[in-house]
Amino acid sequence: MGCDRNCGLIAGAVIGAVLAVFGGILMPVGDMLIEKTIKREVVLEEGTTAFKNWVKTGTTVYRQFWIFDVQNPDDVAKNSSKIKVKQRGPYTYRVRYLAKENITQDPEDHTVSFVQPNGAIFEPSLSVGTEDDNFTVLNLAVAAAPHIYQNSFVQVVLNSLIKKSKSSMFQTRSLKELLWGYKDPFLSLVPYPISTTVGVFYPYNDTVDGVYKVFNGKDNISKVAIIESYKGKRNLSYWPSYCDMINGTDAASFPPFVEKSRTLRFFSSDICRSIYAVFGSEIDLKGIPVYRFVLPANAFASPLQNPDNHCFCTEKVISNNCTSYGVLDIGKCKEGKPVYISLPHFLHASPDVSEPIEGLHPNEDEHRTYLDVKPITGFTLQFAKRLQVNILVKPARKIEALKNLKRPYIVPILWLNETGTIGDEKAEMFKTQVTGKIKLLGMVEMALLGIGVVMFVAFMISYCACKSKNGK
C-alpha cells in the first residue's frame, strides 16, 4: 500500500515536472509561432491583413481646420503693427476615404507602387459653421509677388496691377475659397500665362499623391512599408541628398516588433520632407496596449540645436542666420511661394517667430503630433497629425500695399489636425484575431508552467512527508 502511494506521488511529481517542462518549451515555440504569423500577415501582398487595410483604410480619417482671422488688417498695413489673430474652428472634412490606385507589385525588387487619390468631404455636423463663412486673411498673391519677382521694374508693373484690381495686403475669403481655391483678381490681370487660381491646398480634390514605391516586406520584413521612392507633384529635388529626404514609411504602419528605443521615421508630402517620432508613453486604446510615439521639439530645432537639421536652413535673413527654430521653409517645393510650416500656434518655435503675432496660445496636448502604434504588428491604430501653414510677407518699396511694413512677418494662415482612430468593430476584430490569440497562447504557456510547478512541488512535499512517516 505504501509502495503504491509512493509510486502515485512520484508519478504525480513526474507529471508536474513534465507539464512544467512542456510549458517552458511551449513559450519559445509559441513566440516563434507568433513571430511567424505576424511576419506573414504584415507583408504587403494580396491576401494579408496588412494589405487589406493598406489598400483602403477602415479607419475614418478627419481633417479639422482652424483659420486665423486677422482682427487689425488696416493697422498692420499702415503702421506695421503686431498682427492680432483669432482662431476660428474647427471646420471638418473627411479625407483618405479613397482606395489606393495603380497598385503594381514588382517581384524582382520586392516593391509595390501606387498613387493615393485625394478627396475631401465637408462634415457640417462636426464643424462650427459652413464653407461660406468668411475670414480676413493675408492676401496670398500679393504677399508672394515680391518674393517671387524681385526685379524692381517687374515689381513696379505688378504694383499697377495690384492697384487696378483693388487688392491689398489682406483680403476677405470664404473657407471654401481659402482652402480649395479662388480666382485671384490681381493675377487675372497679369498679361502672360500664369495660374490665376490660388488656395492653400489648391489643387486637391481629383488629384493624386504619388507615385509612391514602397518595399512590400516579402524578402525583408524590417523594410516593409518603407518608401523606396516618391514622384509627386511637389518638387523635392532642392533638398541636398545628405538630408535623406525620402526616409521611412507613410506613417500608416511600420515594420513589426517596434521597441521603445526605436525612432519611427515617416515621410509627409504636406511638408515635403521626412520627419520622425520618438517613444512617449504606453496607453490603452480600446483594450489594445499601444505605444504612443510623439514628434519631438528637436525635429524643428535650429541647426545649432540639432546639427541634423543643417541642410533644412535654405536662407539666412528670415532665419536670423539659421538661429531661429520652429518653422520650416518649404517654398522651394511650392513653386517658389513663401510657405513656411510649423506646429500649431508656433509650438516649440523661437520667440522671434511668434513675437509679431498676438492671439497665439501654444499647448502641448492640443498641438503636438503623435502616433499610437501596436508594437508587435507595427500598425498605427490612432494618430493626430497637426501642422500650421504660414506665409512670409516682407516689406516691398515698389508695392504700395506692402511699402509701410518695417519688418518681415511669418503670418499664420491656418492650422490643421488630421486624426484617425481604429473603430470599435475593428478594434474588437483586432483584439480577437491578434491580441486575443497572443494573450491566449501566453495564458496557456503560463498555466502549464504554473500547474506543473505547483504539482511537482506539492507531490514532492507529500512524498517526503509520507516517506518520513513510514520511516518512523
Side-chain angles (χ1 to χ4, degrees), residues 65 67 88-93 122-135 173-177 179-180:
F65 295 97
I67 313 300
R88 291 169 56 189
Y91 294 88
T92 306
Y93 290 80
F122 186 64
E123 296 283 354
S125 64
L126 300 176
S127 303
V128 297
T130 73
E131 288 188 292
D132 295 324
D133 286 0
N134 289 322
F135 307 88
R173 290 291 169 189
S174 70
L175 174 74
K176 190 172 184 179
E177 289 176 321
L179 295 180
W180 314 120

Side-chain angles (χ1 to χ4, degrees), residues 176-244:
K176 190 172 184 179
E177 289 176 321
L178 180 63
L179 295 180
W180 314 120
Y182 58 91
K183 201 168 190 64
D184 186 84
F186 150 51
L187 296 179
S188 298
L189 297 177
V190 175
Y192 52 87
I194 62 169
S195 174
T196 59
T197 303
V198 180
V200 177
F201 295 99
Y202 175 81
Y204 188 80
N205 283 321
D206 301 319
T207 65
V208 297
D209 186 21
V211 178
Y212 286 91
K213 190 175 184 181
V214 303
F215 292 102
N216 61 20
K218 187 74 172 177
D219 65 326
N220 185 351
I221 202 63
S222 66
K223 293 168 64 177
V224 67
I226 291 178
I227 298 170
E228 194 271 338
S229 65
Y230 170 83
K231 295 178 182 178
K233 63 182 179 181
R234 297 173 175 86
N235 174 27
L236 308 180
S237 62
Y238 72 94
W239 294 114
S241 59
Y242 52 78
C243 286
D244 201 12

Side-chain angles (χ1 to χ4, degrees), residues 281 326 395:
S281 60

Side-chain angles (χ1 to χ4, degrees), residues 428-448:
E428 287 300 321
M429 182 187 73
F430 190 89
K431 285 189 290 185
T432 301
Q433 295 184 357
V434 181
T435 308
K437 290 180 180 179
I438 294 172
K439 283 185 177 180
L440 179 60
L441 185 57
M443 290 172 59
V444 171
E445 294 168 353
M446 295 307 297
L448 288 173

Side-chain angles (χ1 to χ4, degrees), residues 15-27 441-456:
I15 292 172
V18 169
L19 287 172
V21 171
F22 185 69
I25 293 174
L26 187 62
M27 291 179 74
L441 185 57
M443 290 172 59
V444 171
E445 294 168 353
M446 295 307 297
L448 288 173
L449 183 62
I451 292 171
V453 170
V454 170
M455 285 183 65
F456 179 77

Side-chain angles (χ1 to χ4, degrees), residues 54-109:
W54 174 80
V55 171
K56 183 177 182 180
T57 178
T59 301
T60 302
V61 179
Y62 294 107
R63 182 174 280 196
Q64 300 172 298
F65 295 97
W66 282 261
I67 313 300
F68 289 106
D69 195 19
V70 177
Q71 306 297 295
N72 60 335
D74 293 338
D75 196 22
V76 176
K78 293 177 182 178
N79 306 314
S80 195
S81 304
K82 286 188 176 183
I83 301 176
K84 297 179 182 179
V85 298
K86 180 181 180 181
Q87 78 165 20
R88 291 169 56 189
Y91 294 88
T92 306
Y93 290 80
R94 186 183 172 199
V95 296
R96 295 201 198 180
Y97 55 87
L98 297 170
K100 293 178 173 64
E101 296 178 353
N102 300 343
I103 299 172
T104 306
Q105 296 278 358
D106 189 332
E108 292 188 5
D109 60 6

